[in-house]
Amino acid sequence: MFEIKAKDMRGRVGVLKTKHGNVKTPALMPVIHPRKQAIDVKKYGADMVITNAYLIYKDEDLKQKAIDEGLHELINFDGPVMTDSGSFQLSVYGDVEITNNEVLEFQELIGTDIGTSLDIPTAPFVEREKAESDLEITLERAKEAVEFKKENNIEMLLNSVVQGSTFMDLRQECAKELSQLDADLYPIGAVVPLMESYHYKELVDVVMNSIMYLPDNTARHLMGAGHPMVFALAVALGCDLFDSAAYILYAEDDRLLSTRGTFKLENLQEMPCSCEVCSKYTPDDLRAMPKRERRDLIAQHNLHVSFAELRLIRQAIYEGSLMELVEERCRAHPALLDALRQLKNYNEDFEKYDPRSKKSAFFYTGAESLYRSEVLRHHQKLLEMPKKRDLIVLPPGRKPYSKFISGKLGDFYIYGDKKELDLDNADFMVLDIPFGLIPLDIDELYPLSQNAAPKIRDGDSKQFIKNFFKDFCDNYGQVMVHSRINNDLDLGLSEKTDEEIRYAKDDVRKLKAIADYQFGWGCGEALFKGNINVEKSKKTGKIRHIYDGKTLIVNMRASDSYLILSKEGARRLHASTAYPKNRVVVNKDSEPFALDGKSVFSKFVVECDENIRLNDEVLIVNEEDKLLAYGKSLLSAIEINNFQTGQAIKTRKGFKK
Ligand code: GUN
Ligand code: ZN
């Protein structure tokens, strides 16, 4: 029902499959008013819409027409249609004249693609008791809906909405309980009041405490989110669907949406974008128009900017620049900046979803970038790394650092107690923003060279790398710090060494270090034994192919310097690591397909190494750990385990004789 096509952070470009067609996500469903709709939303980019089953049910004419001709005919839309149940009316008026079963039955009767049970949207910041008792009813009704669907053999897909107000444990509990049901989609509810009151930080908490406990293989709908200002942030948290009444409600109110906020027509001297409406009319033209005509034009603009933002977001996911977009968007308002800063609390979770390597470089756009999952991931790797005896710390230069470093490296200060220096048994690392320490042997790996930070450094990031450096130094014998770092970071060191420090390049040592970082410590020795030949690109001088004699072991990918296995490389890696490290384990049924070099689908995977991330090179084995094939992972470990549809591994080669 839902497949992932591309990923960045927790964000996904996916396909949602319904009986009225497929929808590319992240998607925006404009809210269609069953009686008053004046705008043809399809014309402005809507592939899917949402309308309100309760409003149709309550109106005798609409109800009869919907029953006779079907919902799609009623609202004149032939794509997928989602319906809401009257829960929102319940939250506004305190009561509705329909039961859970009645609204479910009605939605099925009129041919909804995705129906919703009658959840209770509990407002933020209510008394705990209220949140608990509401939640009990919401959960009961969700269960009732699933039973109703099963008993009546119903095709309609089912929404089970996550509630729990602003109590994070209740959101978690609700998400966990709903996940046990066989619902089709799990929207996140009651967030509209948070967004309307600019509680974006709390929005992050509510979304994360729901999403972390929901399955990854369903589309997540952030209910009532229709302001393009929050789309990028919400997508990065893992939301796939949005619905917007905002486009028309704001238009009724003479307000124009933009990714920078909302503009009141009365304050506009200039039109805010380059859509058809903004190109054709001036603010004065609009102000002089009759109300309805003006409203429809503003609604058109509002739809245009909303769909344009979603296109931009999907493009950002394809190229791996979603966080750069989020960081940009979250500077539109201080409350959004709070939301961005709040992401720090969830970076361990984000790391589990973020692709290992991306097409675009990592851009440092401010101190918030220090808490991105790429930085955390590198620090976790460094902390696992066996340390050599001594550490030489170098200042940053042109990237890749190792390419431009040679000869005598300059003046060094002694950090900590003075001991004997052993340059043959030393780690050489560059200290830079944002990644902290970057070992010279692996500096070409994504994103350690594929990143950029401003030359004028801010205090937060200086403090950040200084703290990391101090913690990391702890277990070294002798630490030497380049004089420029001593000055830049005010380390206050005074004792210099008179020893001449040089960095000697060594391709095989470098390859082993990369293999260790990529596949685990010790894998370098195992992969690169024998008569190692390194073949380089004549044009760029970069390592391309590595052989043992004439047998290819690995290729090095030019874009991110990760090692790509050959048959021999896969065999060596398999022999030197223990199950399930670096492995995706498939069941008996899919064994012949894997051996044949066919790609691996998620549903055939019985187990996999929890450290696998999108774009990793992996071994494909059976449950007896027989090596069947090897390939590139298209998902993270958690997602591979979660999905029952779609590809998990793009197989490079199978081991069929
Ligand atoms: N629309 C906006 N918020 C909600 C919600 O919490 N539940 C339902 N069913 N619809 C909504
Ligand atoms: Zn416009």
Side-chain angles (χ1 to χ4, degrees), residues 326-530:
V326 171
E327 292 182 345
E328 193 181 321
R329 290 293 181 251
C330 286
R331 284 181 169 79
H333 193 285
L336 276 170
L337 193 53
D338 266 333
L340 179 64
R341 291 179 178 173
Q342 190 71 353
L343 300 190
K344 176 179 167 181
N345 296 332
Y346 302 98
N347 62 359
E348 280 181 28
D349 173 82
F350 295 136
E351 192 283 320
K352 295 189 171 73
Y353 288 85
D354 211 8
R356 182 87 60 192
S357 146
K358 305 179 185 184
K359 289 196 188 98
S360 61
F362 177 114
F363 283 178
Y364 176 97
T365 71
E368 294 79 16
S369 307
L370 297 168
Y371 300 100
R372 283 180 52 176
S373 53
E374 289 93 335
V375 178
L376 175 73
R377 178 180 287 165
H378 175 61
H379 288 183
Q380 287 172 343
K381 280 274 182 194
L382 274 190
L383 293 171
E384 291 172 13
M385 189 189 80
K387 290 175 174 172
K388 294 201 171 140
R389 207 204 84 129
D390 295 343
L391 174 65
I392 313 296
V393 187
L394 301 163
R398 243 182 106 182
K399 294 187 193 97
Y401 312 109
S402 59
K403 186 174 173 182
F404 299 99
I405 280 178
S406 62
K408 183 175 178 289
L409 296 175
D411 299 332
F412 284 83
Y413 284 93
I414 297 164
Y415 183 87
D417 300 331
K418 184 172 162 52
K419 296 192 186 114
E420 196 80 351
L421 187 59
D422 181 1
L423 286 174
D424 292 330
N425 192 10
D427 287 317
F428 284 74
M429 299 193 191
V430 170
L431 186 62
D432 201 359
I433 291 165
F435 289 98
L437 289 164
I438 302 115
L440 277 184
D441 282 343
I442 60 154
D443 74 326
E444 287 179 44
L445 281 178
Y446 186 93
L448 305 175
S449 279
Q450 299 80 345
N451 72 82
K455 289 199 178 64
I456 301 173
R457 294 168 162 201
D458 59 272
D460 284 350
S461 58
K462 276 194 192 181
Q463 194 59 47
F464 181 84
I465 60 167
K466 188 165 159 176
N467 292 346
F468 182 74
F469 158 70
K470 285 184 169 176
D471 289 346
F472 191 79
C473 276
D474 254 5
N475 295 314
Y476 279 103
Q478 181 68 73
V479 177
M480 293 293 171
V481 175
H482 192 275
S483 55
R484 234 174 73 202
I485 297 172
N486 188 30
N487 296 339
D488 284 355
L489 295 185
D490 292 327
L491 292 177
L493 306 177
S494 53
E495 197 177 346
K496 279 194 168 172
T497 175
D498 47 17
E499 191 151 356
E500 192 169 286
I501 296 182
R502 290 170 180 272
Y503 172 69
K505 291 179 195 177
D506 178 335
D507 288 336
V508 175
R509 190 191 63 215
K510 172 174 168 158
L511 283 163
K512 286 179 179 171
I514 289 175
D516 282 348
Y517 191 87
Q518 181 175 351
F519 297 115
W521 313 109
C523 291
E525 281 298 329
L527 276 173
F528 302 115
K529 58 182 187 241

Side-chain angles (χ1 to χ4, degrees), residues 115-126:
T116 310
S117 51
L118 195 62
D119 59 296
I120 301 193
T122 315
F125 313 117
V126 296

